[in-house]
Amino acid sequence: MANRRLAPASEQPASFAFSSENAEWAKGQIDKYPEGRQASAVIPLLWKAQEQNGGWLPRAAIEAVAAELGMPHIRVLEVATFYTMFALEPVGRFWIQLCGTVPCDSCGSRELKEYLQSRLGPSGHVSADGNFSWLEVECLGACCNAPMAQINQDYYEDLTPDILGTLMDDLAAGRPVTIGSQAGRVSSEPKGGAATLTDETLFDGSRVGAWRKRFEDQAAKPETGAKPESGGKSEAASSEQRAASDPKPAKPDSGRAAEKPPTDAPAQRVAAGETPVKPGDKADAADRTESSAKPDAPPAPAAGIVAAGEAAGAEAGTQSTLPRNEPPPQPAASGASEGEAAAEAEEARIESKLATLPKDASPEQKADAVGTRPAGLDGARAGAPDALTRIKGIGPGNESRLHTLGIFHFDQIATWSRDEVAWVGTYLAFPGRIDREGWVAQAATLAASDK
């Protein structure tokens, strides 16, 4: 399936801003929702950003949409990485989304996938001529005409490798193509055309007269009253009598002779002239000496408390405080930070180094292969270590592991070299994270502020 990751830092643009026309369109989308619910417009704004950026979403566009809606970046990133309709890497002029779920797989999508791999290479890459890229996605909702693929905005159904190849050649050459079923099917009709409801009299109105005559003949017949039940009993009384003798008509008795019905149901008691419910049963039901109720249960929360709780639990994140009638400021140019670029380079270098080690290598052996262990202390100075958890990315667990390495103070982390950063990151099993979160810079700031 799709690898839902952002494109490498080298392919990310430095900034993104909606064009004036698209910014006006985005404002109209946001205005559809009440105050505090602007986050509901996240999908259409991401779609418009992808369209403006040539068919894919860079990090800067995701952050721009987040700023437009007053949402945390991570909330918008969650949406963009969940739906395969959003391409997170550059795509070709024709982006092929091949359905690989069960109906399409059963009808030949595997052969289509093999064809695309042989012609274009692995998914997620753009062909050398810039025309095509492809991705296997989940169900696109055209199972009736499987196998199928979506190319840009259009569906192409009833595909075979030969048909798909011809279709791609025509698209690349600018020739007209047939959208929809490539076998001539209409909507969801079966192969070979419709095989049911083919009688024209079902639709041309000729059967209406026949049905009307039947109703008129039925109405002309004299009404016949219902035959009275045996002995002149009413239907209700007869039902009670049957219920008394046969309380479970769908579950007959076992066949053995029985002097009385096997149950004492209310219907039997009524038939015998007794009250439906026994006096003793009423007394038991009214017994309040034992109760499962909780008399000390707290009262239901006031409406104001409920409303406050709903607002606090909202998934939309903190909304912007800007007036709705003023355009929001354009986001600052984001692009790939130096930390991101350094982290990606570090991860690639460490991965190649670790590939040469045995699989059972210890954390120390892995770390020694890629860097140099930083010098540590025997204990915290004056017995008072710094709160390393003040550094973003260091939790209580990592703080404890750093203590075992003799790292107790901010000024120690602030002086780490590249080799020492690589050693610690590999030892803690997350190479690249120290660069990505800027531990060294954070530690230097904290060390200076604590002096």
Side-chain angles (χ1 to χ4, degrees):
M1 261 305 299
N3 186 5
R4 307 299 294 160
R5 292 183 180 177
L6 294 175
S10 59
E11 298 182 2
Q12 296 284 348
S15 63
F16 175 89
F18 279 122
S19 64
S20 57
E21 181 182 354
N22 287 342
E24 187 65 25
W25 178 90
K27 185 178 183 300
Q29 295 297 310
I30 297 172
D31 288 342
K32 293 179 179 179
Y33 302 98
E35 189 68 36
R37 298 295 180 185
Q38 298 95 321
S40 299
V42 62
I43 287 182
L45 262 64
L46 283 175
W47 184 255
K48 183 61 71 172
Q50 174 171 282
E51 182 182 85
Q52 178 178 317
N53 194 61
W56 71 285
L57 275 177
R59 177 195 293 272
I62 294 172
E63 294 174 354
V65 170
E68 187 88 12
L69 299 175
M71 296 173 63
H73 292 176
I74 186 61
R75 294 299 187 199
V76 185
L77 185 63
E78 287 171 347
V79 176
T81 54
F82 181 81
Y83 295 103
T84 54
M85 62 189 277
F86 298 120
L88 304 180
E89 295 179 308
V91 297
R93 193 158 60 99
F94 301 102
W95 185 32
I96 303 172
Q97 298 178 70
L98 175 66
C99 179
T101 36
V102 174
C104 282
D105 183 83
S106 301
C107 295
S109 67
R110 292 190 190 184
E111 289 76 9
L112 299 178
K113 181 178 179 180
E114 292 173 358
Y115 174 79
L116 291 174
Q117 286 178 331
S118 64
R119 175 165 175 169
L120 303 177
S123 63
H125 298 281
V126 181
S127 60
D129 57 8
N131 280 330
F132 296 103
S133 61
W134 72 282
L135 185 71
E136 182 183 355
V137 299
E138 292 296 337
C139 184
L140 292 172
C143 314
C144 52
N145 293 343
M148 60 82 59
Q150 178 179 343
I151 304 179
N152 291 350
Q153 312 302 329
D154 298 314
Y155 277 14
Y156 297 88
E157 305 153 3
D158 291 317
L159 296 174
T160 65
D162 291 340
I163 293 176
L164 179 58
T166 303
L167 185 62
M168 293 171 64
D169 292 338
D170 291 341
L171 288 171
R175 292 188 288 267
V177 296
T178 300
I179 298 172
S181 172
Q182 303 300 299
R185 283 200 273 182
V186 178
S187 299
S188 58
E189 68 182 17
K191 286 185 178 181
T196 59
L197 302 178
T198 56
D199 187 350
E200 294 183 358
T201 61
L202 294 172
F203 316 107
D204 62 8
S206 59
R207 291 200 176 191
V208 174
W211 281 102
R212 182 180 292 112
K213 186 175 186 305
R214 175 182 172 184
F215 290 135
E216 291 174 352
D217 292 344
Q218 185 71 22
K221 292 182 180 180
E223 295 184 1
T224 56
K227 294 181 179 180
E229 296 286 343
S230 176
K233 295 181 181 179
S234 67
E235 182 178 355
S238 176
S239 297
E240 290 180 1
Q241 184 64 36
R242 288 197 302 272
S245 60
D246 189 7
K248 297 181 180 180
K251 297 181 179 179
D253 296 337
S254 60
R256 297 189 297 270
E259 296 181 358
K260 62 179 181 179
T263 60
D264 187 15
Q268 294 169 293
R269 296 181 59 79
V270 170
E274 302 175 4
T275 58
V277 181
K278 296 179 181 179
D281 293 343
K282 282 187 177 182
D284 291 341
D287 184 6
R288 290 181 172 80
T289 57
E290 294 184 6
S291 173
S292 60
K294 297 179 180 179
D296 297 329
I305 298 177
V306 173
E310 290 178 350
E315 287 296 325
T318 305
Q319 297 294 328
S320 173
T321 57
L322 291 173
R324 294 294 296 280
N325 58 352
E326 294 183 9
Q330 293 296 339
S334 54
S337 64
E338 293 181 3
E340 285 284 349
E344 289 187 0
E346 187 78 347
E347 289 173 353
R349 184 182 71 83
I350 291 174
E351 184 178 357
S352 62
K353 286 275 190 181
L354 297 182
T356 63
L357 298 180
K359 294 183 178 180
D360 57 351
S362 66
E364 291 85 355
Q365 291 172 327
K366 294 179 179 178
D368 291 338
V370 300
T372 303
R373 178 170 178 165
L377 302 175
D378 294 333
R381 303 186 193 108
D386 293 336
L388 300 183
T389 53
R390 292 171 64 188
I391 297 177
K392 178 184 177 182
I394 298 181
N398 284 334
E399 182 183 52
S400 177
R401 297 185 69 186
L402 289 172
H403 287 172
T404 64
L405 298 176
I407 308 299
F408 298 96
H409 300 284
F410 297 134
D411 57 4
Q412 291 179 271
I413 299 176
T415 60
W416 281 351
S417 65
R418 293 300 314 154
D419 286 343
E420 289 171 335
V421 167
W423 194 97
V424 176
T426 305
Y427 177 80
L428 297 179
F430 45 70
R433 177 173 170 181
I434 296 176
D435 286 315
R436 194 170 273 114
E437 295 174 344
W439 287 15
V440 175
Q442 290 186 67
T445 302
L446 291 169
S449 64
D450 289 350
K451 288 182 179 179

